[in-house]
Amino acid sequence: MKRSILSSTAAMAAVIAAPAFADEATQLDEVVVTATRLPAIVAETPGARVIDSRIIEQRGAVFAADILSDVPGLSVTRTGAFGGIAQVRMRGATPGKTLVLVDGAPINDAAEPNGAYDFSSFELADIDRIEVLSGPQSSLWGSDAIGGVISFTTREIDGVRAEAEAGSFDTVRGRLSAGVANETYAFSAYASRFQTDGISAADKADGNPEADGFRSTTLGAKGRYVLSDAVKIDGAVRWNDSHADIDGFPAPDYVLADTGDAQDSEQWSGFGRVTVQALGLTHEFSVSASDLDRTSYSGGYPSTFSGDRQAYRWQADGKAEAIDYAFGVERNQASANLSSGLSRDLSITSVFGVAQYDLGALNLTGGLRFDDTDDFGSKTTGRISAAYDLAGGFILSGAYGTGFKAPTVSQAVCDYCFAPQPWPALKPETADSVEIALGWASADGRLEGRATLYRLNVEDQITYSAGRYVNVAKTRSDGFELEGRARLGAGFDLTLAYAWTDAVDRTTGARLLRVPEHAGSATLGWTGDRLSGALTVRAEGDQDDSGGFSTVVRKGFVTANLNAAYALTDKVALTARIENLADEHYQQVFGYGEPGRSAYVGVRLRY
């Protein structure tokens, strides 16, 4: 029964709400589609979460970093409230171990020393759903997925949508999108602009009054055309240009303070795909690419970095009795030009396969992948998971997986290394993880929850030490994740999330930096005839952080955001949001300020 529901809903998964609760007669299993290669029911997939467009709108989230921090096990850090570098750590793994996809295209920054993606200018104007898959996913996606995968899917528009908003710090924001969509074809385009005078990136409480501005422009288009019952083509492109004023560490004290430092970034990503029904299989032939150029200005001296990635993929999906399966071949290429003048091309050729076997109460999923790097040897990774329906609404699930991450361009060329040669020969980082989860849902769909225990081990982690890159670090993350949702009646719903993360460097015994031991959030949402909105309270405990040449403690905090919309008609709504409702003074990263209480009002149109 579950598998038949999955098949009928996979095509319309973009409209399935994560924490939304449908009427009892139309209650459907929530499905994760892209991140798992094959459609999979979230309740049967350890570490899987989905955030849909309804939740993004309900929370009033403008940038991806605004909402990813509510996912248990994700630690979001940003060095400056507007435009500061924003990175994600999944289950304690360093940011470069999170693979980021947009419409299936990998967009991690090939020029960043650890290959991490910067979410600072990733607007959500065009995003329809976000899928988060925690734990090693190298058997599905290869390198960079040790911590997990965050997959964004852009929206297909039918009609016209527009938004305008203004508020604190002379902030203005606008979005406009238009398109047409039917069973045969679809085409849409959008534009989004965000601009603010901002606040000081360096904490104002430390004597830094200068405001640091930020502006970001995002453009994009998406299209689809069904040539016949057996052939479909689709594609999308997304472009962003941003400028951020950032603070630095001026001489002679080299302490974070107001400076004229700034950063310009231009990035684009896109894909083209042909889907063909042939030989009893669904074949997808796709080409995806991403490119990023970044220039930083410090003390009047610019430094420029550029990186690009391409992925060429063939995947075939099929079904035999109670088994759904997929297999394919990929070629991933990455290159970067660094400010030091060094550059390098790194590529990986891969074959992979994944299968799901439905035995009624028991569901089994397994994946295997072989990656052959051009420069660092080959690696085989795998993952197996199982879910068992215990009856009474309980589902017991578990997974074991392995992962790897090839050295980045900066690590491969030993950028800014000053130690005497020969430098150590690097090898890929490796990981293994085990997790077990117990979920429960009431028969009427009003209550649901899940508790997850996991352990993630990383071996041969690459670290910059004594003037060169070496494979020395070993890390371990033990964690507990708890999440629950409830439909309370009278239009109210409640979403809870909590994570305990014990992430340590097994080489030194020290806690890993910028991973709070305790973090959680609670969102009370409401939906009425005209008024809707959400109150979100988020808390983080103390965390070890970098304080220049020593480790310091960034204090824990509690902050709250309120978002609301009032429908004047079925096409026009007024919006309002208040961030940092209690005017809390806090820092996400030690030394960097966050805004005090701020308010924004706007209008939203849907035609």
Side-chain angles (χ1 to χ4, degrees):
M1 178 64 179
K2 289 180 181 178
R3 210 46 52 184
S4 64
I5 292 175
L6 187 152
S7 299
S8 65
T9 59
M12 52 182 282
V15 301
I16 296 175
F21 295 89
D23 293 336
E24 293 178 24
T26 58
Q27 183 72 28
L28 298 174
D29 289 306
E30 181 188 0
V31 177
V32 56
V33 179
T34 305
T36 49
R37 295 282 192 183
L38 285 174
I41 295 173
V42 169
E44 299 178 353
T45 309
R49 285 99 180 183
V50 175
I51 303 169
D52 75 343
S53 59
R54 189 193 76 86
I55 298 305
I56 293 172
E57 190 170 278
Q58 183 192 51
R59 304 280 181 90
V62 177
F63 295 96
D66 298 333
I67 202 165
L68 289 175
S69 56
D70 293 336
V71 178
L74 268 63
S75 173
V76 180
T77 58
R78 60 183 185 185
T79 55
F82 299 103
I85 295 174
Q87 297 181 332
V88 172
R89 289 166 168 79
M90 298 183 71
R91 292 184 171 176
T94 55
K97 296 180 178 63
T98 295
L99 178 66
V100 183
L101 307 170
V102 175
D103 291 321
I107 60 171
N108 288 52
D109 183 0
E112 205 272 341
N114 297 300
Y117 183 73
D118 177 10
F119 288 90
S120 62
S121 59
F122 196 110
E123 293 189 62
L124 297 173
D126 61 313
I127 299 302
D128 189 63
R129 66 193 268 118
I130 306 169
E131 299 177 357
V132 178
L133 194 58
S134 299
Q137 308 299 330
S138 291
S139 65
L140 297 175
W141 295 102
S143 184
D144 299 338
I146 281 178
V149 175
I150 302 176
S151 175
F152 297 87
T153 301
T154 56
R155 180 183 292 116
E156 194 173 88
I157 300 294
D158 186 16
V160 177
R161 295 172 173 237
E163 290 185 34
E165 184 184 68
S168 300
F169 318 117
D170 290 327
T171 299
V172 292
R173 176 173 65 87
R175 301 176 178 180
L176 177 64
S177 59
V180 59
N182 55 45
E183 291 184 357
T184 303
Y185 62 86
F187 179 78
S188 59
Y190 58 88
S192 177
R193 173 73 173 181
F194 180 95
Q195 184 169 324
T196 182
D197 288 348
I199 66 170
S200 177
D203 199 325
K204 186 176 180 179
D206 295 333
N208 300 289
E210 179 192 43
D212 293 307
F214 174 63
R215 60 179 182 266
S216 173
T217 302
T218 303
L219 304 175
K222 189 170 187 175
R224 166 180 55 83
Y225 190 78
V226 179
L227 298 173
S228 69
D229 291 341
V231 181
K232 179 184 77 172
I233 59 174
D234 65 322
V237 64
R238 190 178 200 272
W239 173 85
N240 174 265
D241 181 79
S242 67
H243 171 87
D245 296 326
I246 55 177
D247 289 330
F249 298 83
D253 297 328
Y254 299 102
V255 175
L256 180 64
D258 284 337
T259 65
D261 291 15
Q263 180 173 284
D264 291 324
S265 296
E266 181 182 9
Q267 53 187 306
W268 69 268
S269 65
F271 81 97
R273 177 172 55 202
V274 178
T275 304
V276 179
Q277 304 286 342
L279 304 175
L281 299 170
T282 300
H283 302 264
E284 290 185 352
F285 303 88
S286 66
V287 177
S288 62
S290 65
D291 182 270
L292 187 147
D293 294 295
R294 182 176 65 252
T295 302
S296 298
Y297 304 91
S298 179
Y301 298 97
S303 56
T304 302
F305 302 81
S306 64
D308 61 84
R309 304 171 66 106
Q310 300 87 40
Y312 306 89
R313 181 183 306 137
W314 163 67
Q315 178 175 322
D317 299 0
K319 184 177 180 65
E321 298 296 332
I323 301 177
D324 296 314
Y325 59 89
F327 57 91
V329 178
E330 284 184 355
R331 173 71 173 175
N332 285 274
Q333 299 176 177
S335 62
N337 295 298
L338 309 177
S339 184
S340 59
L342 298 173
S343 63
R344 184 74 175 265
D345 296 334
L346 300 175
S347 299
I348 303 175
T349 302
S350 314
V351 294
F352 64 89
V354 59
Q356 298 172 347
Y357 188 24
D358 192 354
L359 295 170
L362 178 64
N363 181 266
L364 300 173
T365 302
L368 198 64
R369 182 181 179 108
F370 175 78
D371 291 281
D372 184 27
T373 73
D374 287 1
D375 301 271
F376 300 101
S378 59
K379 206 72 183 174
T380 300
T381 54
R383 181 177 173 88
I384 185 169
S385 65
Y388 187 74
D389 191 337
L390 298 173
F394 288 93
I395 294 179
L396 179 66
S397 60
Y400 173 79
T402 60
F404 90 106
K405 176 176 172 55
T408 66
V409 172
S410 290
Q411 294 164 350
V413 300
C414 212
D415 194 30
Y416 288 110
C417 291
F418 59 81
Q421 295 194 47
W423 298 316
L426 296 178
K427 55 185 177 181
E429 301 168 298
T430 60
D432 64 85
S433 177
V434 62
E435 60 187 293
I436 186 169
L438 180 64
W440 176 80
S442 62
D444 60 5
R446 292 179 178 272
L447 301 171
E448 62 179 285
R450 181 165 62 177
T452 304
L453 283 170
Y454 70 86
R455 168 168 286 182
L456 170 65
N457 294 306
V458 177
E459 302 282 343
D460 295 320
Q461 181 159 294
I462 298 174
T463 301
Y464 185 79
S465 176
R468 81 278 194 230
Y469 289 98
V470 291
N471 291 97
V472 294
K474 298 181 180 180
T475 69
R476 171 173 292 166
S477 296
D478 292 310
F480 173 70
E481 299 166 354
L482 183 65
E483 52 204 306
R485 305 183 184 105
R487 187 172 64 181
L488 303 175
F492 286 89
D493 61 83
L494 179 65
T495 303
L496 302 172
Y498 167 77
W500 169 76
T501 309
D502 182 28
V504 298
D505 185 329
R506 287 189 291 151
T507 305
T508 65
R511 285 192 58 84
L512 298 183
L513 301 183
R514 297 183 179 174
V515 181
E517 185 176 3
H518 302 281
S521 66
T523 297
L524 179 65
W526 68 94
T527 304
D529 292 338
R530 291 185 177 273
L531 182 65
S532 62
L535 171 65
T536 298
V537 179
R538 185 167 63 87
E540 289 187 10
D542 294 352
Q543 70 177 26
D544 286 357
D545 208 332
S546 176
F549 299 102
S550 61
T551 299
V552 296
V553 175
R554 186 228 61 185
K555 297 296 184 181
F557 63 86
V558 179
T559 186
N561 298 330
L562 179 64
N563 183 66
Y566 184 80
L568 298 175
T569 70
D570 60 347
K571 301 181 184 302
V572 182
L574 301 179
T575 63
R577 59 190 177 95
I578 302 174
E579 296 189 346
N580 196 356
L581 192 62
D583 200 25
E584 172 83 355
H585 173 260
Y586 71 100
Q587 299 175 345
Q588 286 198 14
V589 173
F590 182 80
Y592 290 89
E594 293 291 335
R597 185 186 297 113
S598 52
Y600 309 86
V601 294
V603 61
R604 185 169 65 219
L605 310 176
R606 300 284 187 267
Y607 290 98

